[in-house]
Amino acid sequence: MSEALTGLRLDDLLSGVQQRLAELGRTGDRLQALLDAVLAVGAGLELDSTLRRIVHAATELVGARHGVLGVLGDDRTRLRRFVYDGSGDVQERLGEPPRGPGVLDVPVRVRDEVFGNLYLAEKRDGTGFTADDQIVLQSLAAAAGVAVENARLFEYSRMRERWFEAIGTVNAAILADAATDETLHLIAEFAAEISDADLTVILLGGQGDGLAIAAAAGERADALAGVSVSAADPVVCDVFRTGETTLIADLNLVPRAKPTLLGAAFGPAVVTALRNAGGIGGVLLAVREREAPQFGTDLLPVLSSFADQATVALEFSDKQDNERQLALLADRDRIARDLHDHVIQRLFATGMALQGTMRKVTDLDSRQRIAAAVEQLDQTVGEIRTSIFDLNSSGERGESASLRRRLLDIAADLSERTAVSPSVRISGAVDTLVPADLTGQVEAAVRMGLGVALRASVTWISLDITVDDDVVVEVADDGDADEHAGTADLAQLRAGAHARGGDVVLTARPEGGTRFGWRVPLPGV
């Protein structure tokens, strides 16, 4: 009996030893599998491929049929889901991860931050997950956190390298005096590339006016060329009010009176201000498709730097324009001085000499020719003086410009697309003697006279404006007198002149062409 018991104890001992050896073997195999999985997870530095390897390694390590890695965004909502369903590939899909009994859920931490969660379901052998599976998966999650951190650091360093290259390229374009629209378009392209945005837009304008799209890059960029955006849009208005860069989860959820110009296709957005010395001159807007991940906070300084570069490009362009304008004005001032000090004086001296010579000429025909030459010299001097004023006042525009300047602009604008340039002579103190309530009629008379004269058969036009006791506008041409169209506004212009004691005439010239005359006496003269 004792020998039989001794044999049984030996069998049990040998069986236990064999079980322990088998368990040690399985543990060794599992440790080897865990080591292989850790090495596989950390094999690359691309973030997306690292996330896919984490899901695949986790499912293989614990023998699960399904695995999901849910990645958390900056707002702590789950934005990206990497799914493995046994087909061999890990794909990014929408939908909620598996939950409930029988699902193994392990967080993936990067330092002290929860980066995401691993969800594993349905063991291939039909059994449930064990405590060993939990321990092994936690070990893999720890290694995955390190791999994710390395991948994020690698992507951030690569992004910064590309960011610095882009800044250098834009700075070179600015210093090379590239066109402003080309520089802004280059900035928009770099901002879209580095921030992984589907569309970037640079809008310029003030808070009280509409903002024009100065540059755009990405999807629908061509369709947005030349379009303006209301400054009352809450997204733009908030940036103008606070000056702070704004992260927006979904543009379509922002309450607004009118639909967004970008439509419902875009969701996540970043809006940053273009600051200048006078305040905020515009915004840089970067958007992604509606279901795309939100922009991270690490992209805020990147987009802000591109906004600052856009501001520098605009200010540099303004400075260059101002310098060119100053150089042009200086050149015009020099030309005006030369005309006044040399040309006019010589013409005046020539006219005086001809007048003195005319007294000694007895032949009537010669005296008439000399008198005609003197008259032409006087007219030429008047035209040159008008040109001198045009050179000195060419920077004035709009209602703030002087009457003389506005009359010259009217003549230039009406003849801009014609083959004939009117000869303009302005005599008298136009800007001081003509009262403000009469300037509108003077401008209307010039428009009417030039409108009548500018015809297909015209080869020359003269415009004479004289201010003395009366304000007189005379326009003469050599065109076909029967060619000019009906003058529907002539009656209204004549009625206004009659109300001030003046008159309007439109007649044919004996030598050919037409003559338009408008005369109104100055008040108190």
Side-chain angles (χ1 to χ4, degrees):
M1 180 64 69
S2 62
E3 290 178 357
L5 290 175
T6 302
L8 288 174
R9 291 193 189 99
L10 183 58
D11 291 341
D12 291 339
L13 180 59
L14 291 175
S15 175
V17 170
Q18 289 177 349
Q19 290 178 1
R20 292 294 183 183
L21 291 175
E23 289 176 359
L24 289 174
R26 287 194 297 270
T27 300
D29 293 340
R30 187 151 230 189
L31 288 175
Q32 184 62 45
L34 176 60
L35 180 59
D36 294 340
V38 169
L39 294 176
V41 165
L45 291 175
E46 296 287 341
L47 182 58
D48 280 3
S49 60
T50 299
L51 299 178
R52 286 175 168 82
R53 287 195 302 272
I54 291 172
V55 179
H56 188 272
T59 53
E60 293 297 324
L61 187 61
V62 298
R65 296 183 184 276
H66 303 284
V68 177
L69 174 60
V71 179
L72 300 177
D74 290 337
D75 58 353
R76 314 314 297 162
T77 60
R78 190 164 290 105
L79 299 178
R80 309 181 68 186
R81 299 173 181 88
F82 296 87
V83 180
Y84 177 78
D85 57 5
S87 62
D89 294 329
V90 179
Q91 300 177 355
E92 188 172 355
R93 300 176 185 172
L94 300 176
E96 291 296 325
R99 298 181 185 276
V103 175
L104 193 57
D105 179 4
V106 176
V108 177
R109 298 180 182 275
V110 177
R111 296 183 182 273
D112 295 331
E113 171 192 357
V114 177
F115 175 78
N117 285 71
L118 270 171
Y119 301 91
L120 301 176
E122 296 186 26
K123 198 94 163 169
R124 291 195 187 100
D125 58 5
T127 62
F129 293 106
T130 64
D132 289 342
D133 293 332
Q134 180 85 15
I135 294 172
V136 169
L137 200 58
Q138 287 175 348
S139 302
L140 179 63
V146 176
V148 167
E149 182 179 14
N150 291 336
R152 291 171 72 178
L153 291 174
F154 172 74
E155 289 203 347
Y156 183 69
S157 63
R158 189 171 60 177
M159 182 268 291
R160 285 181 62 88
E161 181 181 358
R162 184 63 182 132
W163 175 21
F164 293 147
E165 291 177 356
I167 289 177
T169 303
V170 173
N171 288 337
I174 293 174
L175 294 176
D177 197 16
T180 305
D181 54 348
E182 295 179 0
T183 304
L184 293 179
H185 184 71
L186 185 64
I187 292 173
E189 287 183 336
F190 280 134
E193 174 192 346
I194 295 176
S195 66
D196 196 22
D198 296 306
L199 175 67
T200 55
V201 179
I202 297 177
L203 302 102
L204 303 179
Q207 185 174 5
D209 305 318
L211 284 82
I213 296 180
E219 297 180 12
R220 296 183 56 189
D222 295 337
L224 296 176
V227 180
S228 61
V229 177
S230 172
D233 187 282
V235 174
V236 176
C237 187
D238 288 344
V239 173
F240 269 99
R241 187 184 71 255
T242 63
E244 300 293 334
T245 301
T246 304
L247 277 170
I248 302 172
D250 192 347
L251 283 174
N252 299 280
L253 300 181
V254 177
R256 52 170 54 89
K258 297 181 180 180
T260 175
L261 177 69
L262 303 178
F266 297 102
V270 179
V271 189
T272 184
L274 274 62
R275 299 176 178 272
N276 53 35
I280 298 176
V283 296
L284 170 64
L285 172 66
V287 296
R288 290 175 178 169
E289 292 182 354
R290 192 164 188 178
E291 299 298 337
Q294 295 185 20
F295 290 92
T297 55
D298 56 332
L299 291 175
L300 298 185
V302 176
L303 294 174
S304 295
S305 71
F306 283 122
D308 293 339
Q309 279 196 309
T311 301
V312 171
L314 293 170
E315 292 181 348
F316 190 79
S317 176
D318 290 341
K319 181 181 178 182
Q320 294 291 91
D321 290 342
N322 292 335
E323 290 179 353
R324 283 190 288 265
Q325 185 68 17
L326 288 174
L328 179 62
L329 292 176
D331 194 42
R332 287 180 174 177
D333 186 59
R334 179 187 58 80
I335 295 173
R337 287 197 308 271
D338 290 344
L339 287 174
H340 182 272
D341 297 341
H342 301 289
V343 178
I344 288 182
Q345 297 299 328
R346 290 178 182 177
L347 290 175
F348 185 74
T350 303
M352 292 292 291
L354 288 175
Q355 285 181 333
T357 304
M358 189 168 56
R359 299 191 188 98
K360 301 178 182 180
V361 176
T362 58
D363 183 65
L364 181 60
D365 183 61
S366 298
R367 289 174 64 89
Q368 289 178 347
R369 290 185 179 184
I370 293 174
V374 171
E375 183 180 356
Q376 290 180 359
L377 287 175
D378 289 340
Q379 292 178 353
T380 302
V381 169
E383 292 177 1
I384 293 176
R385 284 175 174 166
T386 302
S387 299
I388 291 173
F389 178 85
D390 191 12
L391 289 171
N392 289 330
S393 62
S394 58
E396 302 175 3
R397 287 293 183 268
E399 294 297 328
S400 61
S402 64
L403 176 59
R404 186 187 296 261
R405 176 72 260 168
R406 297 203 300 272
L407 295 177
L408 291 172
D409 289 342
I410 291 173
D413 293 341
L414 291 179
S415 61
E416 181 179 6
R417 299 180 181 177
T418 63
V420 180
S421 179
S423 173
V424 182
R425 291 182 294 273
I426 302 178
S427 303
V430 175
D431 297 326
T432 57
L433 293 181
V434 179
D437 59 346
L438 185 57
T439 57
Q441 291 193 37
V442 177
E443 294 176 17
V446 172
R447 287 193 179 93
M448 174 64 71
L450 291 176
V452 170
L454 288 169
R455 304 189 299 278
S457 60
V458 170
T459 60
W460 63 265
I461 301 173
S462 65
L463 169 62
D464 291 281
I465 303 169
T466 306
V467 178
D468 193 2
D469 294 340
D470 300 334
V471 183
V472 180
V473 175
E474 290 187 350
V475 180
D477 65 79
D478 65 344
D480 187 352
D482 297 329
E483 188 183 343
H484 62 77
T487 54
D489 296 331
L490 188 61
Q492 182 179 358
L493 187 65
R494 182 179 286 114
H498 287 169
R500 289 180 172 269
D503 195 12
V504 176
V505 295
L506 179 60
T507 60
R509 297 173 66 245
E511 59 272 33
T514 59
R515 174 185 172 274
F516 169 87
W518 177 91
R519 181 190 60 81
V520 169
L522 287 174
V525 178

